[in-house]
Amino acid sequence: MEEYKLAYGRTDFTFSFDPEKIIAVLRPKTLPTPESEEAVVRAGHGKPGRLTTVA
Amino acid sequence: MENPVGSPRLREIVKPGETACVNIGDMTRLWARYSVMVPLILDELNRGGIPDENIIIVSATGSHRGQTAQEHATLVGEDVMRRVQVFDHNCHADDLVDYGKTSRGTPVRINSRVAATDRVILTSGIVHHFLAGYGGGKKAIMPGVSSFEGIMANHKLSLNPAGPGVNPDVYAGKLEGNPLSDDMIEAARKVGADFIVNSIVNEEKKVALAVAGDVVAAHAHGGALVDEYFGVKISELADLVIASCGGYPKDINFYQTYKTSHNMVRAMKKGGVGILLTESCEGMGNDNFYNICDNFDNNPKREDELRCNYEIASFMGYTQLLWAQENRLIVVSSLPDEQIRNMNMTPAKTLDEALALAREWLGDEYKAYLMPSGSTTFPILTT
């Protein structure tokens, strides 16, 4: 058995669970922390040069 | 904005002397960071030859309430308030402008100020959305600045047209073939939305990623980015999923827990067991969400109610009930046991109590997923 922790309100539940029964712990990736939000909006995450012209 | 998707730059689209409207969300979408995006859009319009006096901002409130001047200032910032006028949309206004109907029969009647301007720029934030596939993009037109009747007609596409239950093509992460999303896009195209600027916001509530450009292409690109960060690929479904909303304030009430429920069942075998950790210290959080479950004694009556008086929270409550009927959901919360049972779920006061119950139901042979941040973890089955 291993100990796991899950958030509940302003506290956590700690519990024991057999790790062999766990397929995976599913978590999102962490988004970047930009130095400048304005720079992010200006530059964006498009595909420069590829889609900038429409037919 | 310097690298638009599927579109020239905004300054290359507009012509000197034209008028423009920038659509923003309302206070329920404050997190999208309009105060960062809008000044940059105004500057870009200025460079394209549209001065501030030719620009207005319309808050795309959909069917939500109007806002105060202070709320407008909170949304866009004091500097923007000094540069341009900000108006609220009213979905019941007498002067909405008729753009006909979509191919699905949704009436497209739009805010008159938006309709009167030469250029329409849409802003919002992109997240997974249980109806539209992803929030942002075209939603700033439908429902954002549409009539109440149009919004209801569009949202009713979430119900299965061929029988009971939810439309199987309407769910988070689905754009292509999602009739509700397609209907929104038709409305945005009819109105002639010229350009979008959409943010993707991180845990610190800062703009971490952004897309700009065509209302469909740029939004789809943003959706792919949202999948990349919030999507988690899984190769099998589990017998048991234990999901926490992520603690306070994400589990402030059960209404907010809906996102975690939605994500949890995506990782669960049909008929599986789910344990939801949601303190819900402020209770249910929405009367309609609960009443659609409690006020009717069967699903046909609930669907009749939805088809006659569609309301998003009611739809959410109904789908929550359907998940509870199709699976076995245990809720660890501070909610009254009776409320949990009335939504076809099983209450538990501690996680240990819930786990004991799950083991009793499942026996020894089961596989599980843990989801510590259930509200922002979007399982994507890859097989």
Side-chain angles (χ1 to χ4, degrees):
Chain A
M1 301 293 265
E2 278 188 17
E3 288 223 320
Y4 297 88
K5 195 159 70 173
L6 291 172
Y8 177 79
R10 291 181 172 86
T11 182
D12 297 310
F13 275 125
T14 303
F15 63 105
S16 297
F17 207 86
D18 179 357
E20 290 194 359
K21 293 206 176 296
I22 295 177
I23 304 168
V25 179
L26 307 180
R27 297 179 196 274
K29 292 190 188 82
T30 303
L31 281 159
T33 301
E35 282 184 25
S36 161
E37 293 179 278
E38 285 77 10
V40 171
V41 174
R42 270 196 208 98
H45 291 80
K47 299 275 194 293
R50 189 165 71 84
L51 288 165
T52 49
T53 306
V54 286
Chain B
M1 290 172 65
E2 293 167 5
N3 300 294
V5 180
S7 163
R9 285 189 66 160
L10 180 57
R11 68 175 68 169
E12 295 163 3
I13 293 173
V14 301
K15 294 182 179 64
E18 287 184 330
T19 57
C21 172
V22 180
N23 279 17
I24 62 168
D26 66 5
M27 287 297 284
T28 66
R29 302 285 184 277
L30 177 63
W31 54 265
R33 303 287 286 157
Y34 302 102
S35 59
V36 175
M37 292 186 280
V38 172
L40 299 172
I41 294 168
L42 298 186
D43 292 346
E44 181 80 355
L45 289 170
N46 292 166
R47 289 191 191 98
I50 300 184
D52 284 350
E53 55 265 32
N54 284 16
I55 304 170
I56 59 166
I57 292 174
V58 171
S59 179
T61 54
S63 59
H64 301 167
R65 67 167 173 83
Q67 297 159 113
T68 64
Q70 184 55 53
E71 287 174 325
H72 287 159
T74 302
L75 283 162
V76 296
E78 294 288 355
D79 284 348
V80 168
M81 293 289 282
R82 282 190 283 273
R83 292 176 64 177
V84 297
Q85 283 190 287
V86 183
F87 302 94
D88 275 335
H89 172 60
N90 173 5
C91 69
H92 299 291
D94 293 331
D95 61 348
L96 300 177
V97 177
D98 192 357
Y99 283 79
K101 291 184 175 181
T102 68
S103 59
R104 291 173 177 79
T106 299
V108 182
R109 294 174 60 237
I110 297 296
N111 182 284
S112 60
R113 293 183 194 278
V114 177
T117 51
D118 299 312
R119 301 293 177 183
V120 179
I121 298 99
L122 311 180
T123 66
S124 192
I126 307 181
V127 290
H128 285 113
H129 190 276
F130 61 98
L131 295 178
Y134 301 89
K138 71 274 179 178
K139 283 185 85 244
I141 293 291
M142 172 71 78
V145 292
S146 296
S147 69
F148 183 78
E149 294 74 19
I151 297 168
M152 292 302 107
N154 171 266
H155 284 15
K156 279 182 192 175
L157 295 169
S158 61
L159 296 168
N160 191 346
V166 175
N167 191 320
D169 290 319
V170 174
Y171 55 86
K174 184 172 176 69
L175 286 179
E176 207 167 307
N178 177 336
L180 197 137
S181 170
D182 288 345
D183 199 57
M184 289 175 170
I185 290 170
E186 268 191 66
R189 291 291 194 214
K190 275 181 179 288
V191 175
D194 293 281
F195 199 82
I196 71 165
V197 180
N198 279 187
S199 62
I200 298 170
V201 174
N202 65 17
E203 280 278 309
E204 291 86 41
K205 304 187 191 316
K206 302 288 184 194
V207 180
L209 305 168
V211 292
D214 176 70
V215 66
V216 174
H219 186 241
H221 187 66
L225 290 170
V226 165
D227 277 353
E228 186 181 326
Y229 281 90
F230 297 104
V232 180
K233 288 180 181 168
I234 56 173
S235 57
E236 61 180 304
L237 299 174
D239 307 288
L240 170 65
V241 181
I242 305 167
S244 162
C245 297
Y248 183 89
K250 290 171 181 167
D251 67 354
I252 191 170
N253 56 47
F254 198 80
Y255 186 62
Q256 289 299 323
T257 304
Y258 181 82
K259 290 177 219 160
T260 301
S261 297
H262 174 281
N263 292 341
M264 182 177 78
V265 296
R266 290 178 57 86
M268 193 192 300
K269 287 179 183 170
K270 200 161 188 176
V273 176
I275 297 176
L276 269 173
L277 287 174
T278 169
E279 186 184 29
S280 302
C281 62
E282 293 190 5
M284 193 56 64
N286 185 292
D287 290 341
N288 290 341
F289 182 87
Y290 177 68
N291 289 341
I292 193 74
C293 304
D294 189 42
N295 288 357
F296 303 90
D297 54 20
N298 60 50
N299 287 355
K301 288 181 184 172
R302 293 183 181 104
E303 286 196 21
D304 285 348
E305 171 65 12
L306 279 171
R307 287 180 200 280
C308 293
N309 300 301
Y310 190 96
E311 199 272 333
I312 285 183
S314 300
F315 174 81
M316 292 163 66
Y318 180 52
T319 51
Q320 175 72 48
L321 180 72
L322 290 176
W323 296 328
Q325 290 170 342
E326 290 166 359
N327 305 288
R328 290 169 287 179
L329 304 188
I330 305 168
V331 179
V332 183
S333 75
S334 61
L335 291 169
D337 288 358
E338 185 188 3
Q339 281 195 335
I340 299 295
R341 290 199 181 92
N342 288 344
M343 298 180 78
N344 215 57
M345 299 181 289
T346 302
K349 288 299 168 207
T350 66
L351 179 54
D352 285 339
E353 183 186 332
L355 285 168
L357 188 56
R359 288 177 181 127
E360 186 183 315
W361 288 345
L362 290 165
D364 289 333
E365 294 301 314
Y366 65 88
K367 286 286 188 183
Y369 285 119
L370 301 187
M371 295 175 67
S373 306
S375 64
T376 53
T377 306
F378 185 72
I380 300 170
L381 186 64
T382 55
T383 55

